[in-house]
Amino acid sequence: MNLLSTAEMAAPTIGWASLTPVLIVLGGAVIGVLVEAFAPQRLRRSIGIGLSLLTTLLAAAAIALRWRDVVAAPSSLGEYIEDPLTLASQFILACVGFLALLVIADRTQVGDGAFAGQPSDRPGSGDEELTLRRGYQRSEVFPLVLFSLGGMMVFPAADSLITLFVALEVMSLPLYILTATARRRRQLSQEAALKYFLLGAFASAFLLMGSALLFGYSGSLKISEVATALPTTNGMDWLVVSGVFLVVVGLLFKIGAAPFHAWTPDVYTGAPTPITGFMAAGVKVAAFGALLRFYQTVAAQLEWDLIGVLAVVALLTMVVGTFAGIVQDDVKRMLAYSSIAHAGFILIGVLSVHKGSAGAVLFYVLAYGLATVGAFAVATLVRSRDAEGATGGEVGTLERWAGLGKRSPFVAGAMLLFLLSFAGIPLTAGFIGKFLVFADGFAGGLGWLVVVALVCSAVTAFYYFRLVRLMFFTEPAERTVVVRSEGFTAVAVGVCALGTIVLGVFPNPVLSLLNQVVVLLP
């Protein structure tokens, strides 16, 4: 009988301090499920709101406390890397999650939120009528958002292709469910969820196939070990290039890059608007964080094989998002195509592989996340009104936003600020983000792509200012009203607007922190 050595019997060392932010979020999600199971029905919503908001704040505080130590000494915990890229991405995600949860939790003065009373009810059925009559409201949305946020936080930290895949699924599966829970236009919401699920399965398949090819090439599923094997392994170039490309394609699906963008407009339109804001901002932060790590660690070593194809992807993404957005007459679809165009702009920073480019990309997604959560929060407040004065669902058509500046100056002014940030107008966070990314693009030899981005950015400003003209220079539309709510959305909009201005006027404190962002290389 062979006796185990002392080293083999020793318990593994676990970096609990490094894992604390993720454990807080996932722990909060688990407690939220228990609240749904055991708390009295009348208390579930209020407990869920308080628990979810407290969870994101505690996670942000834990990340802030780790920053100085991690900048001084980044570390690897096996399949989890704690470096400045991980912490910066996680802090942005915690902030986005907190703001999005405020919008998700809000209800109007008539007590209706964005979510169906019981999403399992068939639209138009007697069960749904009974749910509405009794005012029954499920609140599983809060733990589902926290589970998705937990997956997002692991995504940019993964040093294993298996961990990357698991984080992808933990991030995505709750979003598939949440997309199908809209209170109104339920069938459109369920159709959007099905499309998101099917195309998300394709993204997972690409990621898994690429991981299998890279394992066949390097004999390892760790990203750092794959990177180490690249300069030392001869032959099988087609295998590693194909594997890296397929993994990148799986990540490009999540950021909505063309030609992998087809799900974005339909899902953004069909999902409950607060979930659309959370999804649009959070998934981009997480996916770009993971793409930065994988590209700078592995794919950059194959730059001459991949840069042409990926530059075409960035070009196509900008062009599709820009010119398809011009013809949209629905606010949510317009913002969806805007998000596609922004994905193309951010890809320039990823492909530049220039010193400090990771910090520039993170600043851009921070600015984009604030404006996105704020814009979709505003969209939840603009509602229809029938001839009898009853408040209906959200107003999507652009013409129905006419005269909003006269009807509600605060709401219209906030939307104007977010659109200015999207357009990259000076004194907004969006301008600083675009300046940083485009400057890195020039420094990285992608000047021609930056020129195309500048042209596309100018064109996107056209459809942003079309909405501005309707809001401030036309007469108010009939049967459109800005509803009052419990106040959570107003807080979220105010914080997003303040953050957009502060980051645009005084970006240096944040930039000095993000300039310390580096990717831990093997």
Side-chain angles (χ1 to χ4, degrees), residues 319 322-323 325-326 452-465:
V319 171
T322 298
F323 291 96
I326 292 177
V452 175
L454 290 171
V455 174
C456 290
S457 187
V459 176
T460 56
F462 167 77
Y463 57 77
Y464 298 141
F465 287 105

Side-chain angles (χ1 to χ4, degrees), residues 250-294:
L251 297 175
L252 291 176
F253 257 103
K254 288 303 172 184
I255 65 175
F260 318 110
H261 68 286
W263 62 272
T264 308
D266 291 340
V267 173
Y268 280 26
T269 304
T273 303
I275 297 301
T276 304
F278 171 66
M279 179 168 48
V283 171
K284 269 196 172 45
V285 176
F288 271 112
L291 186 58
L292 277 169
R293 183 176 303 285
F294 185 78

Side-chain angles (χ1 to χ4, degrees), residues 54-85:
L54 179 62
T55 297
T56 53
L57 289 176
L58 289 176
I63 295 165
L65 291 174
R66 293 288 300 165
W67 178 259
R68 183 174 296 180
D69 293 338
V70 171
V71 168
S75 62
S76 174
L77 307 179
E79 297 185 357
Y80 183 97
I81 290 181
E82 188 186 34
D83 60 4
L85 173 65

Side-chain angles (χ1 to χ4, degrees), residues 27 202 237 281 454:
F202 276 100
D237 290 348
L454 290 171

Side-chain angles (χ1 to χ4, degrees), residues 147-215:
F147 275 123
S148 181
L149 184 62
M152 293 176 186
M153 294 175 74
V154 174
F155 210 45
D159 188 32
S160 165
L161 293 167
I162 294 298
T163 305
L164 191 69
F165 173 73
V166 172
L168 173 69
E169 296 306 306
V170 174
M171 174 181 73
S172 301
L173 290 175
L175 292 177
Y176 301 151
I177 298 170
L178 292 168
T179 300
T181 60
R183 185 182 184 89
R184 296 178 173 85
R185 299 195 296 177
R186 294 279 309 287
Q187 291 180 334
L188 181 65
S189 176
Q190 293 172 355
E191 177 187 346
L194 185 60
K195 290 178 179 177
Y196 194 16
F197 171 72
L198 291 176
L199 292 177
F202 276 100
S204 300
F206 278 114
L207 185 64
L208 284 176
M209 188 62 192
S211 301
L213 294 178
L214 291 178
F215 178 75

